[in-house]
Amino acid sequence: MEQRKERIRLLDILRGFAILGTLGTNIWIFAHLGDLTYLTTYDYSGWWAKDDLIRMIVLFLVNGKLLGLLTIMFGVGLELKYQQAIRKGNAWPGIYIWVSSLLFLEGLLHFTLVMEYDILMSYGITAMIVAYIVKSGDRLISITMKVLGSLHATAILGILVISLIDANMTLRGSDEVIALYRDGSWLQQVHYRLSHFVPLRLEAIFTIPMNVFLFLLGVRFMRAGVFSQDENGKKQRDKLFKLGMFIGLPLNLLIFIPGGVFDLPVRYLFAPLLSVGYLAIIGRMIQYTKLNWLWGLLENAGKMSLSCYVMQNIICSILFYGWGFALGGKLDSVTIIVVWIGISVFQILFATAWLQGFRFGPMETLRRRAIGIFDTR
């Protein structure tokens, strides 16, 4: 029983680390008013300018990596619910379809009211797909991972080849979008997201195969004992550490090659390799360092990961958009990093204070109540 408790604690710590790290990518979108060129290398010929170098170092560490880790953790959560349903003799996917549907609806509201780069809608669809794959057994899990992994890697590498032939193929910023978030009202921004729903959701659709793969990877990690505190768990994490450091790290360093060629491969193909390295590093640090105060704070954020995700994007909207404090486009990279750290510290303290009086976070409580309406067992 003790091993199970410790394993679950590690999962919450990883969720907290991932959700706060995800803001490390999104905050550049907010701070530069939706200009995606600040997440890419297309407009830069080198990294000698201090401001650009600082930004790219942060993006090298977080862009796609923490999102990959968060996606894996969603898969772990699905596996935990599946095993719980099996132990209790409940039908699967059963009520979990409602859970996934609510996640999709939460994402739709988040997309509409807060941020067009929401991940929850894609996760909701992915969870529905993976729930049926998991039900069919390990063989289908393995086949699905091989097929989707190969297709996704082929697509990304194909885009890389095309980019090498035509260096002008990349994401660009939009002056109209920048003006909207600088000068437009909140209602105008809501209208923009709804009226451009399909193009703004293309990334969410494009990443579903990758998300299915990473969800299933989380399922397999859980079944292999990656998160347990026994010798098997330590050996598994050692393998992931080597994969992340010796393969993932060098491949992700390609982001420092300017020109935009490696922007998509790093974010959508190489980043998850470093994600599993982060998983192993956190596992080692918990094992060998006496930072229980830090792990406890991250654990609290992980227990409220949904609330923290929505909250951090609302805070950024207020800080950076024109209808709020209108800081967008006015801060240098160091200041943006300070804001990121400040929001993260606030969320950790808020989660810690909240959980002293309540068992679940505000969003988590609403979800449980909504699920209870459909759970007639």
Side-chain angles (χ1 to χ4, degrees):
M1 177 63 69
E2 185 64 24
Q3 283 185 352
R4 178 175 175 79
K5 181 180 179 181
E6 290 299 319
R7 185 180 73 239
I8 297 299
R9 183 167 191 250
L10 173 58
L11 297 180
D12 282 328
I13 292 170
L14 288 169
R15 288 191 189 99
F17 176 72
I19 207 69
L20 297 177
T22 300
L23 177 60
T25 298
N26 291 340
I27 197 166
W28 302 98
I29 303 175
F30 283 109
H32 294 288
L33 303 171
D35 189 348
L36 295 179
T37 58
Y38 286 90
L39 293 183
T40 67
T41 65
Y42 176 77
D43 283 341
Y44 303 94
S45 58
W47 304 117
W48 300 277
K50 178 183 176 182
D51 198 69
D52 290 335
L53 178 61
I54 292 172
R55 172 171 52 84
M56 288 310 301
I57 289 174
V58 172
L59 290 173
F60 158 71
L61 293 171
V62 301
N63 189 12
K65 291 79 175 175
L66 280 304
L67 183 60
L69 179 58
L70 186 64
T71 309
I72 292 170
M73 301 314 298
F74 263 84
V76 171
L78 184 151
E79 171 64 9
L80 289 172
K81 290 181 174 62
Y82 172 70
Q83 293 298 336
Q84 182 184 57
I86 297 301
R87 288 195 304 271
K88 293 183 176 181
N90 297 330
W92 181 267
I95 194 66
Y96 188 74
I97 293 300
W98 289 112
V99 175
S100 304
S101 300
L102 283 172
L103 183 62
F104 177 87
L105 291 175
E106 288 163 350
L108 179 60
L109 286 174
H110 182 247
F111 165 86
T112 303
L113 303 178
V114 183
M115 184 188 190
E116 59 265 41
Y117 298 104
D118 164 79
I119 60 174
L120 301 179
M121 292 176 68
S122 183
Y123 281 0
I125 295 173
T126 301
M128 295 180 198
I129 297 170
V130 173
Y132 286 100
I133 296 173
V134 167
K135 180 180 180 180
S136 299
D138 289 335
R139 186 170 182 273
L140 183 58
I141 290 175
S142 178
I143 292 173
T144 302
M145 291 183 70
K146 290 176 181 177
V147 171
L148 289 185
S150 299
L151 290 174
H152 178 73
T154 300
I156 295 297
L157 293 176
I159 294 173
L160 173 60
V161 171
I162 295 172
S163 299
L164 290 171
I165 296 172
D166 181 8
N168 291 320
M169 182 179 177
T170 186
L171 294 173
R172 290 180 177 271
S174 168
D175 293 337
E176 291 78 11
V177 171
I178 295 170
L180 171 68
Y181 286 110
R182 183 185 62 234
D183 306 319
S185 68
W186 174 71
L187 285 176
Q188 287 174 322
Q189 294 168 11
V190 169
H191 178 266
Y192 162 73
R193 295 187 196 108
L194 292 176
S195 61
H196 294 78
F197 183 86
V198 173
L200 290 176
R201 293 285 73 193
L202 286 178
E203 183 194 32
I205 297 170
F206 171 76
T207 56
I208 286 177
M210 180 182 73
N211 288 344
V212 170
F213 179 92
L214 293 177
F215 265 56
L216 292 173
L217 187 62
V219 170
R220 296 188 73 168
F221 280 175
M222 196 68 198
R223 295 183 180 182
V226 168
F227 305 100
S228 65
Q229 298 302 309
D230 57 17
E231 285 302 315
N232 173 60
K234 295 174 185 177
K235 289 180 181 179
Q236 296 282 359
R237 292 193 294 273
D238 285 343
K239 293 178 182 178
L240 296 180
F241 177 82
K242 294 175 182 177
L243 175 63
M245 293 302 102
F246 299 144
I247 299 178
L249 183 62
L251 287 174
N252 278 273
L253 284 170
L254 293 172
I255 194 62
F256 286 101
I257 298 177
V261 173
F262 290 100
D263 290 342
L264 291 180
V266 167
R267 177 172 169 82
Y268 297 113
L269 188 59
F270 305 148
L273 295 173
L274 196 50
S275 299
V276 298
Y278 286 174
L279 185 159
I281 290 171
I282 295 296
R284 282 188 172 190
M285 290 178 68
I286 293 172
Q287 180 181 353
Y288 294 114
T289 62
K290 297 180 179 180
L291 297 173
N292 289 331
W293 61 272
L294 175 61
W295 308 132
L297 293 174
L298 286 174
E299 182 181 10
N300 290 333
K303 290 177 179 178
M304 288 177 45
S305 57
L306 176 61
S307 297
C308 286
Y309 173 67
V310 174
M311 182 197 307
Q312 66 192 24
N313 293 329
I314 292 175
I315 292 173
C316 284
S317 298
I318 295 171
L319 289 177
F320 293 110
Y321 290 164
W323 52 264
F325 289 96
L327 295 178
K330 300 177 181 178
L331 305 181
D332 62 15
S333 292
V334 172
T335 308
I336 292 170
I337 294 169
V338 171
V339 173
W340 168 35
I341 295 172
I343 294 173
S344 298
V345 171
F346 169 77
Q347 289 196 286
I348 287 174
L349 296 178
F350 177 84
T352 300
W354 181 277
L355 291 174
Q356 288 179 353
F358 303 93
R359 186 178 178 186
F360 304 103
M363 292 290 294
E364 288 77 8
T365 299
L366 289 174
R367 173 189 285 182
R368 291 176 69 87
R369 290 179 179 176
I371 293 171
I373 296 174
F374 301 104
D375 190 355
T376 58
R377 293 190 301 271

